[in-house]
Amino acid sequence: MRFKRLTPASLFLNGLVVVCTLILTFPLVWIVMMSLKQQAEVMTLPPRFVFTPTFENFRVLFDAAQAGATSYGTIKVDFLTPVANSVVISLGAVLVSLIAGVPAGYVLARRDIPRKEDIAFFILGFRFAPALLVVIPLFSVFQTVGLYDTYLGMIWVYQVVTLPMIIWLSRSYIEDIPKDIEEAAAMDGAKPFRVVWHIVLPLLKPGLIGASLLIFLLAWHNFALGLILSSTKAPVTVALLKLLNPGVQFYPVMAAGLVVTMIVPIVLIILGQRHLERGLTFGAVK
């Protein structure tokens, strides 16, 4: 077997890739290590890389009762509730975005409407607008109409994050489908709704699954909207703030919470990896 000779340039590039990988993965490794340490071990200087791991932080995290028999004293976290809140809000946001966004993307891709591109970029502009630009005016509106701290209100406001993305992704996916297929079905007598339901949507399935995973991650990790517009229905990103009390920081428990928040997206990405890869390349020139 002959090995390809490495040039100085290739060695430099390979070394650069290794360094960048270590820099990017070190914060994740450090968080996992913190979640397995005691509070005293976290605060030691220099940092301790060899230690006896403990799962007490995860027990405290999901203990709905008063956790008095821990090294942290008496705290109550009940992290399972915000995890359930995030699952309901994120899945609801994805579902509403698909129902409203796919038809909008189809219209922008197939119909000749006045100022179509201006409308499309106006929708995309909401994706890049600062969250505080939307959430502060909505705070008083939500309190007035009774949507503050409700699943319905959170799912609705999350459309600012998820809906523009699904509209643009579905539009690009639909443009990749040959229009001749729809025209042939229409010539055979198929109604527009039947063409979309039986022809377009099956062809869009891989792309829509990948797009759904992407917007689920956007909704899962959103912080500003849940911070201001929720209380008991707060998502996991907001619930972690409970562990930053004045004068007392439960860093290992917070690290355990961060590990939990990473597990759900990682599991979804692993399960939907094939569809995610297809969704990211759907519409690309092959």
Side-chain angles (χ1 to χ4, degrees):
M1 180 183 294
R2 298 180 60 184
F3 294 95
K4 184 178 179 180
R5 183 178 180 182
L6 296 177
T7 63
S10 61
L11 285 174
F12 173 77
L13 292 177
N14 291 335
L16 187 62
V17 170
V18 172
V19 171
C20 292
T21 302
L22 292 176
I23 293 175
L24 292 174
T25 56
F26 178 77
L28 300 179
V29 175
W30 185 256
I31 290 173
V32 174
M33 290 176 58
M34 284 183 59
S35 68
L36 300 175
K37 290 182 177 181
Q38 298 285 352
Q39 176 73 12
E41 295 175 328
V42 171
M43 306 303 295
T44 57
L45 289 176
R48 185 179 301 175
F49 292 93
V50 179
F51 57 92
T52 303
T54 176
F55 291 96
E56 181 187 13
N57 302 315
F58 292 92
R59 184 179 70 83
V60 173
L61 195 67
F62 290 101
D63 193 354
Q66 293 290 341
T70 70
S71 59
Y72 300 99
T74 303
I75 61 174
K76 182 179 180 180
V77 181
D78 189 15
F79 202 66
L80 186 61
T81 298
V83 169
N85 292 339
S86 287
V87 171
V88 173
I89 294 171
S90 300
L91 288 179
V94 170
L95 181 61
V96 173
S97 295
L98 289 175
I99 294 174
V102 174
Y106 181 84
V107 171
L108 291 174
R110 289 290 192 249
R111 298 290 184 263
D112 294 326
I113 58 178
R115 307 183 68 85
K116 180 172 67 174
E117 294 300 324
D118 294 337
I119 296 174
F121 278 102
F122 176 77
I123 295 172
L124 185 63
F126 283 98
R127 176 67 187 87
F128 299 102
L132 294 178
L133 183 67
V134 178
V135 72
I136 293 178
L138 282 179
F139 177 76
S140 60
V141 174
F142 273 36
Q143 285 188 323
T144 303
V145 300
L147 289 177
Y148 177 78
D149 196 30
T150 62
Y151 286 137
L152 178 60
M154 293 300 297
I155 292 172
W156 177 29
V157 76
Y158 269 45
Q159 299 309 304
V160 177
V161 178
T162 58
L163 187 57
M165 183 68 71
I166 199 67
I167 290 176
W168 269 79
L169 289 176
S170 61
R171 180 194 182 189
S172 65
Y173 298 160
I174 293 170
E175 289 176 343
D176 190 57
I177 299 175
K179 196 174 181 179
D180 297 340
I181 299 177
E182 300 176 47
E183 293 175 350
M187 291 179 63
D188 289 338
K191 300 297 182 181
F193 178 80
R194 188 174 182 182
V195 171
V196 174
W197 186 261
H198 292 284
I199 296 177
V200 176
L201 285 182
L203 294 175
L204 283 179
K205 181 181 176 181
L208 290 181
I209 294 177
S212 299
L213 288 174
L214 291 176
I215 64 175
F216 180 89
L217 296 178
L218 290 175
W220 180 269
H221 292 293
N222 189 273
F223 173 74
L225 299 177
L227 176 64
I228 299 178
L229 298 177
S230 65
S231 176
T232 59
K233 301 295 189 296
V236 289
T237 51
V238 178
L240 290 173
L241 286 178
K242 293 182 179 180
L243 302 176
L244 287 178
N245 297 320
V248 181
Q249 287 82 28
F250 304 103
Y251 292 123
V253 182
M254 174 174 282
L258 290 173
V259 171
V260 172
T261 61
M262 291 188 294
I263 289 176
V264 174
I266 289 174
V267 170
L268 288 177
I269 291 174
I270 293 175
L271 294 178
Q273 183 177 5
R274 178 171 59 90
H275 297 288
L276 183 60
E277 292 175 354
R278 174 59 176 156
L280 292 175
T281 58
F282 202 98
V285 178
K286 300 177 176 62

mmCIF file of all heavy atoms in Angstrom, residues 13 18 32 41 58 89 93 104 112 132 137 143 157 165 176 179 189 223 226-227 270 275 284:
data_model
loop_
_atom_site.group_PDB
_atom_site.id
_atom_site.type_symbol
_atom_site.label_atom_id
_atom_site.label_comp_id
_atom_site.label_asym_id
_atom_site.label_seq_id
_atom_site.Cartn_x
_atom_site.Cartn_y
_atom_site.Cartn_z
ATOM 1 N N LEU A 13 -2.619 22.546 7.078
ATOM 2 C CA LEU A 13 -4.079 22.561 7.025
ATOM 3 C C LEU A 13 -4.674 21.499 7.942
ATOM 4 O O LEU A 13 -5.665 21.750 8.641
ATOM 5 C CB LEU A 13 -4.553 22.344 5.581
ATOM 6 C CG LEU A 13 -4.248 23.479 4.601
ATOM 7 C CD1 LEU A 13 -4.702 23.100 3.194
ATOM 8 C CD2 LEU A 13 -4.946 24.775 5.037
ATOM 9 N N VAL A 18 -7.344 20.263 13.207
ATOM 10 C CA VAL A 18 -7.320 19.641 14.534
ATOM 11 C C VAL A 18 -7.432 20.693 15.626
ATOM 12 O O VAL A 18 -8.182 20.536 16.605
ATOM 13 C CB VAL A 18 -6.029 18.809 14.706
ATOM 14 C CG1 VAL A 18 -5.897 18.318 16.143
ATOM 15 C CG2 VAL A 18 -6.023 17.632 13.738
ATOM 16 N N VAL A 32 -19.677 19.078 30.278
ATOM 17 C CA VAL A 32 -19.953 17.711 30.722
ATOM 18 C C VAL A 32 -19.142 17.388 31.978
ATOM 19 O O VAL A 32 -19.645 16.771 32.930
ATOM 20 C CB VAL A 32 -19.646 16.710 29.598
ATOM 21 C CG1 VAL A 32 -19.796 15.276 30.104
ATOM 22 C CG2 VAL A 32 -20.574 16.941 28.412
ATOM 23 N N GLU A 41 -15.163 21.174 43.750
ATOM 24 C CA GLU A 41 -14.219 20.801 42.700
ATOM 25 C C GLU A 41 -14.274 21.744 41.517
ATOM 26 O O GLU A 41 -13.261 21.959 40.837
ATOM 27 C CB GLU A 41 -14.498 19.370 42.245
ATOM 28 C CG GLU A 41 -14.258 18.317 43.317
ATOM 29 C CD GLU A 41 -14.645 16.939 42.877
ATOM 30 O OE1 GLU A 41 -15.612 16.832 42.080
ATOM 31 O OE2 GLU A 41 -14.009 15.968 43.315
ATOM 32 N N PHE A 58 -27.537 15.749 38.573
ATOM 33 C CA PHE A 58 -28.709 15.383 37.771
ATOM 34 C C PHE A 58 -29.879 15.007 38.683
ATOM 35 O O PHE A 58 -31.038 15.277 38.337
ATOM 36 C CB PHE A 58 -28.362 14.225 36.832
ATOM 37 C CG PHE A 58 -27.386 14.593 35.754
ATOM 38 C CD1 PHE A 58 -26.024 14.416 35.951
ATOM 39 C CD2 PHE A 58 -27.825 15.128 34.555
ATOM 40 C CE1 PHE A 58 -25.112 14.757 34.961
ATOM 41 C CE2 PHE A 58 -26.926 15.474 33.552
ATOM 42 C CZ PHE A 58 -25.562 15.291 33.759
ATOM 43 N N ILE A 89 -43.766 23.553 23.206
ATOM 44 C CA ILE A 89 -43.670 24.817 22.464
ATOM 45 C C ILE A 89 -42.933 24.615 21.149
ATOM 46 O O ILE A 89 -43.367 25.112 20.093
ATOM 47 C CB ILE A 89 -42.978 25.879 23.330
ATOM 48 C CG1 ILE A 89 -43.846 26.221 24.538
ATOM 49 C CG2 ILE A 89 -42.698 27.144 22.518
ATOM 50 C CD1 ILE A 89 -43.155 27.108 25.563
ATOM 51 N N ALA A 93 -44.602 24.969 17.538
ATOM 52 C CA ALA A 93 -44.101 25.976 16.610
ATOM 53 C C ALA A 93 -43.761 25.361 15.253
ATOM 54 O O ALA A 93 -44.042 25.952 14.206
ATOM 55 C CB ALA A 93 -42.878 26.673 17.202
ATOM 56 N N ALA A 104 -47.419 28.997 1.796
ATOM 57 C CA ALA A 104 -46.838 30.293 1.427
ATOM 58 C C ALA A 104 -45.620 30.108 0.530
ATOM 59 O O ALA A 104 -45.428 30.842 -0.449
ATOM 60 C CB ALA A 104 -46.468 31.078 2.681
ATOM 61 N N ASP A 112 -47.271 33.745 -10.070
ATOM 62 C CA ASP A 112 -46.780 35.071 -10.463
ATOM 63 C C ASP A 112 -47.663 36.129 -9.809
ATOM 64 O O ASP A 112 -48.732 36.473 -10.316
ATOM 65 C CB ASP A 112 -46.805 35.218 -11.988
ATOM 66 C CG ASP A 112 -45.823 34.282 -12.668
ATOM 67 O OD1 ASP A 112 -44.758 34.034 -12.077
ATOM 68 O OD2 ASP A 112 -46.133 33.798 -13.772
ATOM 69 N N LEU A 132 -35.887 41.492 20.706
ATOM 70 C CA LEU A 132 -36.459 42.514 21.587
ATOM 71 C C LEU A 132 -37.322 43.496 20.818
ATOM 72 O O LEU A 132 -38.204 44.136 21.397
ATOM 73 C CB LEU A 132 -35.342 43.258 22.325
ATOM 74 C CG LEU A 132 -34.531 42.431 23.319
ATOM 75 C CD1 LEU A 132 -33.435 43.275 23.952
ATOM 76 C CD2 LEU A 132 -35.436 41.850 24.397
ATOM 77 N N PRO A 137 -43.041 45.051 22.611
ATOM 78 C CA PRO A 137 -44.436 45.472 22.357
ATOM 79 C C PRO A 137 -45.452 44.374 22.622
ATOM 80 O O PRO A 137 -46.580 44.649 23.053
ATOM 81 C CB PRO A 137 -44.413 45.865 20.872
ATOM 82 C CG PRO A 137 -42.991 46.131 20.556
ATOM 83 C CD PRO A 137 -42.207 45.186 21.414
ATOM 84 N N GLN A 143 -50.511 40.351 27.783
ATOM 85 C CA GLN A 143 -51.176 40.490 29.073
ATOM 86 C C GLN A 143 -52.618 40.958 28.897
ATOM 87 O O GLN A 143 -53.509 40.542 29.645
ATOM 88 C CB GLN A 143 -50.394 41.460 29.955
ATOM 89 C CG GLN A 143 -49.114 40.881 30.525
ATOM 90 C CD GLN A 143 -48.481 41.798 31.547
ATOM 91 O OE1 GLN A 143 -48.509 43.017 31.408
ATOM 92 N NE2 GLN A 143 -47.897 41.211 32.591
ATOM 93 N N VAL A 157 -45.782 33.375 19.128
ATOM 94 C CA VAL A 157 -44.669 34.317 19.028
ATOM 95 C C VAL A 157 -43.418 33.631 18.469
ATOM 96 O O VAL A 157 -42.576 34.290 17.854
ATOM 97 C CB VAL A 157 -44.382 34.955 20.400
ATOM 98 C CG1 VAL A 157 -43.665 33.994 21.325
ATOM 99 C CG2 VAL A 157 -43.574 36.239 20.241
ATOM 100 N N MET A 165 -38.099 30.970 8.166
ATOM 101 C CA MET A 165 -37.162 29.945 7.723
ATOM 102 C C MET A 165 -37.869 28.861 6.921
ATOM 103 O O MET A 165 -37.377 28.446 5.849
ATOM 104 C CB MET A 165 -36.459 29.332 8.935
ATOM 105 C CG MET A 165 -35.405 28.292 8.588
ATOM 106 S SD MET A 165 -33.976 28.999 7.762
ATOM 107 C CE MET A 165 -33.232 29.900 9.134
ATOM 108 N N ASP A 176 -37.096 23.433 -6.964
ATOM 109 C CA ASP A 176 -36.250 22.360 -7.470
ATOM 110 C C ASP A 176 -37.063 21.247 -8.122
ATOM 111 O O ASP A 176 -36.507 20.425 -8.847
ATOM 112 C CB ASP A 176 -35.408 21.791 -6.323
ATOM 113 C CG ASP A 176 -34.335 20.848 -6.813
ATOM 114 O OD1 ASP A 176 -33.513 21.283 -7.642
ATOM 115 O OD2 ASP A 176 -34.317 19.683 -6.374
ATOM 116 N N LYS A 179 -41.640 21.755 -12.876
ATOM 117 C CA LYS A 179 -43.033 22.166 -12.975
ATOM 118 C C LYS A 179 -43.815 21.303 -13.950
ATOM 119 O O LYS A 179 -45.051 21.234 -13.903
ATOM 120 C CB LYS A 179 -43.094 23.635 -13.403
ATOM 121 C CG LYS A 179 -44.429 24.294 -13.174
ATOM 122 C CD LYS A 179 -44.356 25.787 -13.483
ATOM 123 C CE LYS A 179 -45.703 26.456 -13.227
ATOM 124 N NZ LYS A 179 -45.640 27.924 -13.513
ATOM 125 N N GLY A 189 -56.467 16.019 -15.392
ATOM 126 C CA GLY A 189 -57.700 16.356 -14.702
ATOM 127 C C GLY A 189 -57.573 16.527 -13.203
ATOM 128 O O GLY A 189 -58.588 16.696 -12.515
ATOM 129 N N PHE A 223 -34.144 32.072 23.629
ATOM 130 C CA PHE A 223 -34.084 32.500 25.016
ATOM 131 C C PHE A 223 -34.912 33.761 25.281
ATOM 132 O O PHE A 223 -35.688 33.814 26.233
ATOM 133 C CB PHE A 223 -32.628 32.762 25.414
ATOM 134 C CG PHE A 223 -32.460 33.361 26.783
ATOM 135 C CD1 PHE A 223 -32.634 32.585 27.921
ATOM 136 C CD2 PHE A 223 -32.145 34.698 26.933
ATOM 137 C CE1 PHE A 223 -32.488 33.137 29.188
ATOM 138 C CE2 PHE A 223 -31.995 35.263 28.193
ATOM 139 C CZ PHE A 223 -32.164 34.474 29.314
ATOM 140 N N GLY A 226 -38.965 33.480 25.477
ATOM 141 C CA GLY A 226 -39.447 32.795 26.672
ATOM 142 C C GLY A 226 -39.159 33.550 27.950
ATOM 143 O O GLY A 226 -39.917 33.459 28.921
ATOM 144 N N LEU A 227 -38.083 34.319 27.972
ATOM 145 C CA LEU A 227 -37.719 35.061 29.174
ATOM 146 C C LEU A 227 -38.757 36.116 29.521
ATOM 147 O O LEU A 227 -39.095 36.317 30.697
ATOM 148 C CB LEU A 227 -36.347 35.718 28.977
ATOM 149 C CG LEU A 227 -35.849 36.617 30.116
ATOM 150 C CD1 LEU A 227 -35.626 35.800 31.377
ATOM 151 C CD2 LEU A 227 -34.580 37.340 29.697
ATOM 152 N N ILE A 270 -29.411 12.737 15.378
ATOM 153 C CA ILE A 270 -28.958 11.381 15.067
ATOM 154 C C ILE A 270 -30.067 10.580 14.389
ATOM 155 O O ILE A 270 -29.835 9.885 13.388
ATOM 156 C CB ILE A 270 -28.476 10.676 16.350
ATOM 157 C CG1 ILE A 270 -27.196 11.350 16.872
ATOM 158 C CG2 ILE A 270 -28.220 9.193 16.091
ATOM 159 C CD1 ILE A 270 -26.719 10.810 18.196
ATOM 160 N N HIS A 275 -32.398 12.380 6.771
ATOM 161 C CA HIS A 275 -33.296 13.392 6.238
ATOM 162 C C HIS A 275 -32.692 14.786 6.343
ATOM 163 O O HIS A 275 -32.938 15.656 5.491
ATOM 164 C CB HIS A 275 -34.632 13.349 6.983
ATOM 165 C CG HIS A 275 -35.366 12.058 6.820
ATOM 166 N ND1 HIS A 275 -35.982 11.690 5.647
ATOM 167 C CD2 HIS A 275 -35.582 11.030 7.686
ATOM 168 C CE1 HIS A 275 -36.555 10.506 5.781
ATOM 169 N NE2 HIS A 275 -36.324 10.086 7.014
ATOM 170 N N ALA A 284 -29.894 21.833 -4.314
ATOM 171 C CA ALA A 284 -28.543 22.126 -4.751
ATOM 172 C C ALA A 284 -28.309 21.560 -6.153
ATOM 173 O O ALA A 284 -28.947 20.599 -6.583
ATOM 174 C CB ALA A 284 -27.521 21.538 -3.780
#
